Structure formats: C-alpha cells, structure tokens
Amino acid sequence: MPGLATAPPFTPIEPVTEVLHGVPVTDPYRWLEEQDSPRTRHWIEEQRSFARACLDHFPGRDRIHRRIREFLAVETYDSLQKAGSKYFFRKRLADQEQPCICMRVGADGDDQLLVDPAEHGAGKYTAVKPLRVSPDGRLLLFEVKEGGERTGTFKLLEIESRRTLPDVLPRGYLRGFAFAPDGRSFCYVHESAKEKEPYRHAAFRHVLGTEFSEDREIFFAGEGEKVRLSLTSDVRRIGFLVYRFLEKTQTDFYLQPWESETAPEHIVSDADYIFGPMFFRGRILAITDRNAPNLRIVELRLRPGAEPEWMDVIPESDSRIQQWAVADDRIMTLSAKAMDRQIRVFDLAGRKTEEVAVNPEETFRITGAAPASDEVILERESFTDPVRIVRYSPERKECALWAKKTVPGGLSDVSHTQTWYPSKDGTRIPMYLVGRKEVLAGGCHPAIMTSYGGYGVSMTPQFSVFVAFLIERGCLFALPNIRGGSEFGAAWHDAAKRRNRQTAYDDFLSAAEWLIEARRTTAGKLAIFGGSNSGLLVGAAITQRPELFRAAVCMVPMLDMLRYHLFDNAHVWSEEFGTAEDRDDFEALRCYSPYHQVRDGVAYPGTMIVSGDADRNCNPLHARKMTARLQAANASPHPIFLDYSKFRGHSPVLPLSARIDALTDRMAFLCDQLQLPV
C-alpha cells in the first residue's frame, strides 16, 4: 500500500509557549494531555477509526492472523516460585485468554488450580499473578490487574481451603509486603490509586481478620512524590528502605525486630549508590556499587554506636554482576564480561564452588530463589528457542527442565552471527544479525532493527514472536548492542546516560547506516521497532534521520522529554535522563526530544504508534501528542497512525485474543510497508 487516499484526522493547534532557561518552547498540542476531556476522547475515537481504516486496508490479514495465533496459542508457564516442597506458578492452556495461578506439590506432581482470573473480574482483561507465600505455607499473596495497568488489587488466598480472605488491599501500588513470622499478620507499604497529593509514605501492620482502619503505623518515611518506601524481612527483622529521588537517588536503610516497639535503628544514611539488602540467617548481605562500578556483594556487620562494617563476600571483578540469589547456603551470581555471560556459585564465605555451563547463544535469568529453598529458578531462551524454565540445585549441582514453550513449525533454518561497526565517534559496537541461513549468507534483504540503550539493560539473544514472524518472511533482524546498556560494564551505561543520551541514538543510527552501506538492506526496506525506552529510541531515530527508514513501530513510548517528569511517577527516572528543570539537562533533552524535533514538510517513514489509557509508566499523552505532530508535519505518502486501546498499558497482561489481534495489526503494517510475502 503506497499510501492512503484518506488523510488523517485534523488536529487543532493550540500553541502554549513557555520560557525555559531563557529559551522559548512552544507546545502545539498541550490540550491532548487531558486524557479524560471530551475533546481528547473525541480525538482518540477519530484516530482509532483512521487507524482501523489503515490496518484493515493491508492485505493478507487472515493469513497473518492464523500464523500469529499458531505462535501465541500455546501452553505457557511463568512466575514460578518455590515454598517448601510446593511450586506456585501461572499456567495458561493453549486457548485460554488468561493464565491461572496453580500449585504443584513436588516437581513431578499434578498441577492444581488455585486462582482463576474469571472469578476476580468482569471479563477477559482481568489477570492474576502470584507474588508471595507466607513462611508457614498457608497463605498466598496474589495480584489482580485489569488490562495493562501497573496498579493492582492485592488479595490473600488460604491455600488449603482455596478461600480468598476478606483482607484485600485496594487498587494501587504495593511498594512493600512482608508476612509476619507468626502467620497472623503482615506489614505493607501501599499507595492507593485514589490517593491524592501530598503522598504520605508509611508502613503499616495488619492483623488478619481486622479492619484496615485499625492497622498500626510502624514506620513513617515522609511525604511528597520524590520519596518512596519499600521493605524487606526475615523471621527476625524487618528492614525499611527509603528512597529520595533528588539530583541523585539517595537511600536510607532502617532495621527493626519484628515485635519491637522501639524506633528502628538507622543503618545506612544518604547512600548515593546502589544498595540492595537481603537477610540471611542473621546476616545482612547486600549488592552494591559502592566503590565497585561492576557491583560486589558485601556483608554489613553492625557495630553499636558506629557505622556498619562493609565486608566483601564476593568482591568486584571485571564481570559485572547482573543478578544474584541465595539458596541452600550458596550464593549464585549471573554476570557479564564483554558479551559473555557467566553463572557462578559461591559458598557463604565467598569461595567459588562451581561455574554453571552457559551457552553463549542463550540468555539466562534468575527468576526465583529463597534462602530457605534448595533450588534456584532460572529461565533460558535464545533467538530461536522460547523461554524454558529450569530448576538448579546448588547441592546436586544440576539443572532440571521444568517447563518450556514450543514454536509451531519451528525455526530450524534460522541462525545468527555477530559483526562490529563503527559509531559516529569511532567506537566499535557489536551487533547481532539473525535470519534464515540464506539471508545471513549475504545479499540485500528487508531488515528489522531494534535496541534499548538505557538503564544498563543489555541486549542478549531472546525469542520474539514479533521478530520470528518477520524472519520467516525473509527479513534480516539486526540487534546492535548500543551504549546505555551494560554489555561492557558500568562505563557502557554511563557513556549514554543523562546528558550523554545522544550517544545511544548515534550508535543506533550508525547501525542503520552500516546495514545500508554494507548492502545488507536499503533505506526503503529497513524498519525499526521498540517499546518504552526503546520507543523513545525509535522516536529519536525517525526524527533525526527519517530518510534511513521505511517504517517504524513505536510502542508505549516517552517522546516529550521536556515534560515527561511531570506525569505519574516518571520523575524517578531523572537520574537516567535528567529533567528540563536543570539548565544543562534541558539543553541535552531539547536537542533530542522527539516531539520537539519533528519538522514541518519532512518525509517521515510509515509510523505506527501504540499506546493506551492504562499506561502510567510512559503516559499515553506522549503517543497522542506525537501522533498529531507527525501527521501535521509529514510530507510522505506513508501512513502515520495511532493504535490506541483503553485497556493497553505498560504491563503485558492483555488476553490472548487481544494480543493476537494487536500483533496481527503490527505484522500487517510491516509486511505492507516492506512488501513482504504473507
């Protein structure tokens, strides 16, 4: 489809001009920030109709839908955790809309249904997830979500009777939770969705069977949106973590015995470094980057009247620790050195006892462990193999497969390779290339590319139905390891952090240039996609170098980087991006903020922007304003439209049928723009 005969809906321009640090900044679509206003709702419906006209016009939708359904309508397992001899997890049968919470007694036991989401909501958009099991194994804390909201309702299940208790925390954010050792009460930090500013951050203790109005406040952290309180615990103590989101995030740590009536002891003050504590058999272990950019694991030894002593358990090395867990008197670390990943097991004195074999073509994650458990739960996947859940026993030093997904039809002829290319400043950047073997062998092909470039998140081999479908149709998939991740340690992240953010975009654009110059693809056959921070990356790419791309899918993004911090809880990301309140941050932000870099009369690639009402991470105002701005400025015949749903948010909990339809839309759009066979 070279273009649409129907133009996008007209969006009125109502400019608002502000002067920031002496620079006038005009926002033409500020009125679209008001999500619930009648004007915005009318605009959304017009955009939805236009998007539907675009999407329904693309050919081959029925065939695309059938193949996407084959990919997604398979039995799935996730959220596995172990308590004693029991396993708790989510399971979805092939044709179920949403997964249920199940339990298995022993690794080979039968799957027993605990929670059916249909019993906790009004329709297929209700999702449930297990969160925590009480120390006595009697109660299960689980979350109920509606659509893609980040907030949830938090309930307790009496496991043996399958009875949901009346002690329900209403819709909101559960920042911290701990079952008391006696099993008759719990402590919690909860922010109600109905709560208005100023936010009051406190921890409470609730006795089961009583009214929440009777709960006793056990810790107060302060008020305001720049404070957050969390907690951790074991059978003896409860720890309170107070985060203050200032110029740099600062953390305080307090400690209190469970039954104490005295004020908690202040252990760590004003920590401007990573500090993640864990209690284990009377010890306080913690992961930190204090004097250790690649992270180390320490023990805090308390000293009356003095600062705690920080003793190395696992010192910093040239491998950056990405995850860690404690189980069965062993500490397991998942670390990365350059592009290689390592899993190591240590005793509690920090002596390495084992190194678990890691396939360099796979991604591993630690997803579950508890100090009292004899197993660590791992996930592993690759470009061609979906997630497999594995149980690792430190005592037996062996892995056992617990569950896996299947790929109907398989990807047996798909492989990958790695290449290096120079970025704008000459830095060599690695990049994965994935495709059918004949595509990898050479020649010019349609290509799809993504990356992330922030928060120290590394790009590793992972399975994606989005990518697998396009590879089946002859696409080359490119995944550059741009700066902003931590593939090469903390310095790789810092090189594209905050005022250096443009470095990540330069790396990404240089990857596109390399693909074209190496004749692996052409600008007319190259598409990009990404969501959240990766959606920001896509927005920056198409506004800085629109001529490099034929199509873009920009999902749940941030795009107005001068105002992002004013909405929801996005201010907590100020250390990663900076904010327009700081003059130097402002100068960096306005130079790349995609919404402010759209230029009238430019030929932009076909662009599908995806968002929805329920997103409270990357507020949908970004998608609405960017859609209006691009539609008004675009000089190309390529479609620019907004795929918008009231249920869509930042959490991947949409029902099966909605996910199939949504992915069908994205694949139909890309197949049309890249002229792929369907």
Side-chain angles (χ1 to χ4, degrees), residues 507-619:
D507 289 355
F508 191 69
L509 294 170
S510 295
E513 290 176 329
W514 184 90
L515 289 169
I516 294 168
E517 291 169 2
R519 298 183 180 179
R520 302 307 304 264
T521 191
T522 67
K525 293 182 178 181
L526 177 58
I528 54 177
F529 74 96
S532 192
N533 178 68
S534 185
L536 168 60
L537 173 67
V538 169
I542 64 172
T543 51
Q544 293 184 22
R545 296 292 303 280
E547 75 281 2
L548 288 178
F549 310 106
R550 179 60 180 80
V553 178
C554 183
M555 299 174 286
V556 292
M558 288 199 305
L559 296 165
D560 181 346
M561 296 307 292
L562 299 186
R563 289 176 59 78
Y564 83 90
H565 63 292
L566 302 177
F567 300 91
D568 306 319
N569 291 307
H571 60 85
V572 302
W573 303 325
S574 61
E575 194 171 340
E576 181 72 19
F577 296 105
T579 73
E581 295 171 4
D582 179 279
R583 178 184 294 273
D584 293 333
D585 288 343
F586 165 73
E587 290 297 334
L589 288 165
R590 77 185 185 100
C591 287
Y592 75 75
S593 175
Y595 178 62
H596 299 90
Q597 291 303 315
V598 178
R599 293 162 287 162
D600 291 330
V602 170
Y604 287 101
T607 303
M608 179 181 191
I609 299 178
V610 180
S611 189
D613 282 346
D615 196 339
R616 288 297 175 267
N617 267 47
C618 297
N619 193 293

Side-chain angles (χ1 to χ4, degrees), residues 488-503:
F488 297 93
W492 204 249
H493 176 206
D494 292 341
K497 186 178 179 181
R498 202 163 184 165
R499 296 164 195 164
N500 298 325
R501 203 63 171 200
Q502 182 59 41
T503 299

